Amino acid sequence: MPFAIALAVVGIELSPLHFLYTGPMLTATPALAAVTMGPKGTLSAAAFALAVSVTTATYNQAWGSQMVYTNFLAVFVVSVAAVMGSGAVRTLREKELHQVRRIAVAAQEVLLRPVPPRLGPVRAASMYLAAETGAQIGGDLYEAVQTRYGVRMIVGDVRGKGLPAVRAAAAVLGAFRESVHYEDDLVEVINHCAAALRREDAMPGAVDQDVLLEGFVTALVAQVPDTHEVQLVNRGHPPPLVLRQGTVQALMPTSPFPPLGLEDLIIGPPGKADSYPFAPGDRLLLHTDGVIEARNRDNDFFPLPEAMEALHTRTPHEFLEQLHQGLIRHTDGRLADDVAMVLIDRLAEEAGEQVGAGDASSSDRRH
């Protein structure tokens, strides 16, 4: 807009309409630039306005007129003020942006904290990648907690975007973190999450109604007890993948159930958790659909099972980091959806006892 105004002044001054007084229009040019551009853009607009003022005055042979000098002085004064003001505004915006980012990081640490590297009989690692540029958190969720019933985990994906999705994720995670410690039935744990989502839904103004119409949450809850098995309750979520002796297998649910928030679609009695072998040396990956639905330029999906098999010797942290790099390469750095992953390795009892003793010794030394 500032440069368009200056060009309009040039057109008027070089035409038979040059008798019109265009000084106020040129004066507005640097002022408008200060609102929409940074210091460099404002300086460019101011220099252009001054150049137009000199050019038109010379072309019309108007030098010596008091109006020309007044107009030139006004443009100069406003230009200096605009350049100084744009710098101050930019500094203020940078401070505000820094503060917002600090708040976002703090929110992420509360909502999506990294899982501990050691949880009972398993080693663990987690990763979250937000698809939106500059975002720290989004609609995907995860958690892993050690309880008296074993290690319990959740991975979920909220249908929707923005703050409503974050609020729904917070409601589900809050219910999970509370119920995992006193509900012995894994189905009841996920039922608490569904109830929390309904309460969030019912709160006036808590979540945008347009999002609620499609704002269900796919979720997968897992439990690794002391026995060599893993128990799963899947509510419309992509099945987890187990890596056993270099081969990947999907753990499909025996009785599919709809996502959280769509309980009206459930017909018949509530189901029960599915059990699958999970022996020492096995590796389990819980993930959201942002991983398996990531596409490249040829519209090919990310080959997650093949990528897992190629990384079977890596530690959990290295494994997820390599998957991250593979996703970035596959999509050329353009993730279309958020990504959440939780990885666990089942340890042998002897290794678990040694690590546990080491942790206790370290704890004694710290205290």
Side-chain angles (χ1 to χ4, degrees):
M1 180 64 72
F3 291 97
I5 292 175
L7 290 174
V9 170
V10 172
I12 293 173
E13 292 291 341
L14 302 183
S15 72
L17 297 176
H18 64 84
F19 61 86
L20 296 175
Y21 181 50
T22 58
M25 295 177 64
L26 274 181
T27 304
T29 299
L32 287 175
V35 176
T36 58
M37 304 177 180
K40 291 183 179 179
T42 304
L43 184 60
S44 299
F48 189 57
L50 290 171
V52 169
S53 179
V54 172
T55 301
T56 55
T58 302
Y59 178 81
N60 293 316
Q61 298 180 352
W63 289 107
S65 169
Q66 183 178 1
M67 182 179 295
V68 170
Y69 291 117
T70 302
N71 179 43
F72 185 84
L73 181 61
V75 172
F76 178 77
V77 172
V78 173
S79 297
V80 172
V83 172
M84 295 177 62
S86 64
V89 170
R90 182 172 183 174
T91 300
L92 179 60
R93 288 177 177 173
E94 288 178 348
K95 289 182 179 179
E96 291 176 348
L97 180 59
H98 179 67
Q99 180 67 14
V100 169
R101 286 176 174 170
R102 288 178 57 190
I103 294 173
V105 171
Q108 183 183 35
E109 291 175 352
V110 173
L111 185 61
L112 295 175
R113 55 201 179 200
V115 302
R118 169 74 186 185
L119 288 168
V122 302
R123 292 188 303 172
S126 61
M127 177 171 289
Y128 187 91
L129 305 173
E132 186 175 353
T133 304
Q136 298 286 337
I137 54 179
D140 286 6
L141 58 99
Y142 69 84
E143 180 61 288
V145 181
Q146 186 174 2
T147 71
R148 55 180 173 171
Y149 309 107
V151 178
R152 287 180 162 180
M153 298 160 287
I154 186 173
V155 170
D157 187 356
V158 180
R159 170 76 176 190
K161 300 291 184 181
L163 289 179
V166 175
R167 299 186 70 157
V172 172
L173 277 175
F176 174 81
R177 288 167 176 163
E178 179 183 2
S179 60
V180 289
H181 293 287
Y182 64 81
E183 287 290 353
D184 57 353
D185 189 347
L186 205 58
V187 175
E188 287 303 315
V189 172
I190 206 165
N191 287 343
H192 277 281
C193 297
L197 185 64
R198 289 195 298 271
R199 289 193 298 269
E200 184 70 18
D201 189 341
M203 291 178 61
V207 183
D208 187 90
Q209 294 301 313
D210 292 335
V211 176
L212 285 177
L213 294 176
E214 56 178 3
F216 56 83
V217 179
T218 66
L220 174 74
V221 177
Q223 175 176 294
V224 180
D226 292 334
T227 55
H228 294 171
E229 64 177 345
V230 58
Q231 299 164 357
L232 304 174
V233 178
N234 195 328
R235 294 288 296 271
H237 198 75
L241 302 177
V242 63
L243 178 62
R244 179 179 295 119
Q245 296 179 353
T247 302
V248 172
Q249 178 185 357
L251 303 183
M252 304 298 296
T254 57
S255 300
F257 281 91
L260 308 181
L262 300 179
E263 283 73 25
D264 293 341
L265 301 179
I266 297 178
I267 300 176
K272 61 179 182 179
D274 295 322
S275 294
Y276 304 89
F278 190 52
D282 290 351
R283 171 167 286 178
L284 184 69
L285 177 67
L286 283 64
H287 60 88
T288 57
D289 58 8
V291 183
I292 56 176
E293 294 182 0
R295 299 172 184 257
N296 60 13
R297 293 182 181 272
D298 297 327
N299 217 29
D300 298 323
F301 290 113
F302 179 68
L304 181 58
E306 292 81 355
M308 290 181 62
E309 292 174 355
L311 300 172
H312 69 279
T313 59
R314 302 290 195 275
T315 66
H317 176 76
E318 294 171 344
F319 184 93
L320 291 186
E321 186 59 36
Q322 291 294 321
L323 278 184
H324 174 203
Q325 297 301 324
L327 276 170
I328 296 302
R329 288 192 300 269
H330 185 77
T331 61
D332 291 331
R334 298 187 300 271
L335 289 175
D337 196 5
D338 296 343
V339 168
M341 294 183 285
V342 175
L343 182 74
I344 58 170
D345 284 353
R346 186 67 164 85
L347 300 174
E349 284 77 1
E350 296 79 4
E353 292 173 359
Q354 292 175 2
V355 173
D359 291 344
S361 299
S362 298
S363 175
D364 293 340
R365 286 194 298 271
R366 285 195 300 268
H367 291 287

